[in-house]
Amino acid sequence: MTIALIESLTFGLARLRDAAAEAGHRLCLLTRDRSWYAWELDRLAPHDLTVVDVDTTDVRACAEALDRLDDLAALVNSTDTWMLTGAELADRFGLPTLGLDTARTLRDKVEVRTRLHRAGLSRAGAIRVPPTARALTDAVAAVGYPVIVKDSAGTSSRGVWLIRDDTERDRAVREVPDATLLGRHLVAEPYFPGPVYSAETVTWQGRTTLLGVAVHVHTPEPVRREEAVAFPVALPAAELDHLRSWIGAVLATVGFRAGVAHTEFARTPDGPEVVEVNGRIAGAVIGEMMCRSLETNVYTAVVD
């Protein structure tokens, strides 16, 4: 059978190819720019992976490309940017999917925070904010300092403003109207201070297993650029047990019932607070770190 990808993470193609081959399946990548994957494609033989050049922002073009594939059995959705496109196409072709409703929830940061708050899994909710100077000023006043304002469907830490005083508020007010946003609105929510970690999990039929926890090392505020990641983190046994039950409840609350997930959270003095829930395997080199430290190809779970 053929397993297709609508774009992919920068790293992990070779591991995913190995997992597909071990299961006896072919792997096909649909991409609008194969140069994004040059490092790994240069190390794969032509027969290891079929690459189809197509405008992946065009759902109709992607559907036509998928329709030409032999024995299409699955569609891997490993990126946030193409999550809705992938879920829509999987639903159209009757392929296994996390579900269009779940994809829409995960791509809406207000909805995620609101659900978690209602379920008692977050200490605060979020406000949906039109990307205008006046609306942003009102939202910051309603939430109070410190506040995080971010693109409702943003990725890769783009379109994020940490606002702790009037000066930072005024700077955000100047920048927001000209910002390029993936979502149609902004999110305003309290800033939960603490180091950032991520829970790496695999879920099947609503049951979640914690594969491990990674810590994300950032530069000092206000830039807070991610500089490094370490996996796995050795946490106290009691805290790790709490994280196992907590992450299972978080994923169930947002409707995630099957697949590999990467959930970033702040480790605050009052317990974990979700930063974002990603319905995919972790990006950058975290997938490779998991493979090496756990001594297994975790991408097998993606193929399964």
Side-chain angles (χ1 to χ4, degrees):
M1 297 184 288
T2 300
I3 298 174
L5 299 88
I6 301 291
E7 301 297 353
S8 185
L9 298 170
T10 308
F11 298 102
L13 273 176
R15 290 284 191 179
L16 195 56
R17 181 280 317 270
D18 291 345
E22 184 179 341
H25 306 313
R26 298 177 296 274
L27 198 62
C28 176
L29 170 66
L30 274 60
T31 179
R32 63 176 180 170
D33 187 352
R34 63 174 67 200
S35 70
W36 291 341
Y37 314 102
W39 191 87
E40 286 206 291
L41 289 179
D42 287 347
R43 287 157 179 77
L44 291 171
H47 63 272
D48 286 337
L49 173 70
T50 300
V51 180
V52 175
D53 298 295
V54 61
D55 181 1
T56 49
T57 64
D58 185 334
V59 176
R60 176 180 291 182
C62 289
E64 292 173 352
L66 291 173
D67 201 40
R68 290 192 291 269
L69 298 179
D70 294 330
D71 300 320
L72 179 63
L75 182 62
V76 174
N77 202 352
S78 60
T79 65
D80 301 318
T81 303
W82 279 271
M83 179 177 289
L84 288 176
T85 299
E88 180 181 332
L89 289 167
D91 184 69
R92 182 182 302 188
F93 282 84
L95 303 174
T97 174
L98 52 78
L100 194 50
D101 288 342
T102 299
R104 287 175 177 144
T105 296
L106 295 181
R107 294 298 291 137
D108 185 339
K109 298 178 189 298
V110 172
E111 180 65 19
V112 169
R113 179 69 62 192
T114 299
R115 289 194 183 197
L116 294 177
H117 182 50
R118 288 174 179 169
L121 295 167
S122 177
R123 299 196 300 276
I127 299 175
R128 202 178 300 274
V129 186
T132 67
R134 181 63 188 178
L136 177 57
T137 301
D138 292 344
V140 170
V143 175
Y145 298 133
V147 57
I148 284 284
V149 174
K150 55 189 175 183
D151 184 351
S152 64
T155 63
S156 304
S157 299
R158 291 189 292 266
V160 179
W161 293 266
L162 170 60
I163 303 173
R164 294 164 294 187
D165 54 35
D166 291 353
T167 300
E168 292 182 338
R169 178 203 61 197
D170 293 343
R171 186 182 71 237
V173 165
R174 291 192 302 270
E175 293 176 354
V176 160
D178 296 325
T180 300
L181 303 176
L182 294 178
R184 287 177 289 185
H185 54 265
L186 297 167
V187 180
E189 60 187 15
Y191 171 59
F192 299 110
V196 176
Y197 292 75
S198 60
E200 314 305 337
T201 57
V202 59
T203 300
W204 180 245
Q205 295 182 340
R207 180 180 177 182
T208 294
T209 296
L210 179 65
L211 300 177
V213 176
V215 62
H216 299 244
V217 182
H218 294 81
T219 58
E221 296 175 355
V223 176
R224 288 190 63 78
R225 181 181 63 249
E226 186 172 298
E227 294 256 293
V229 181
F231 179 94
V233 176
L235 296 173
E239 183 177 0
L240 195 59
D241 287 342
H242 172 67
L243 279 174
R244 287 191 180 98
S245 60
W246 173 81
I247 189 58
V250 164
L251 293 176
T253 298
V254 297
F256 189 86
R257 292 189 51 81
V260 180
H262 165 73
T263 304
E264 295 187 8
F265 64 93
R267 191 180 178 208
T268 78
D270 299 309
E273 279 283 356
V274 165
V275 174
E276 61 182 14
V277 180
N278 302 287
R280 54 165 174 80
I281 196 166
V285 293
I286 300 177
E288 182 64 21
M289 295 166 74
M290 287 194 288
C291 290
R292 296 189 187 195
S293 61
L294 300 176
E295 298 183 341
T296 188
N297 186 355
V298 295
Y299 291 85
T300 298
V302 178
V303 171
D304 288 344

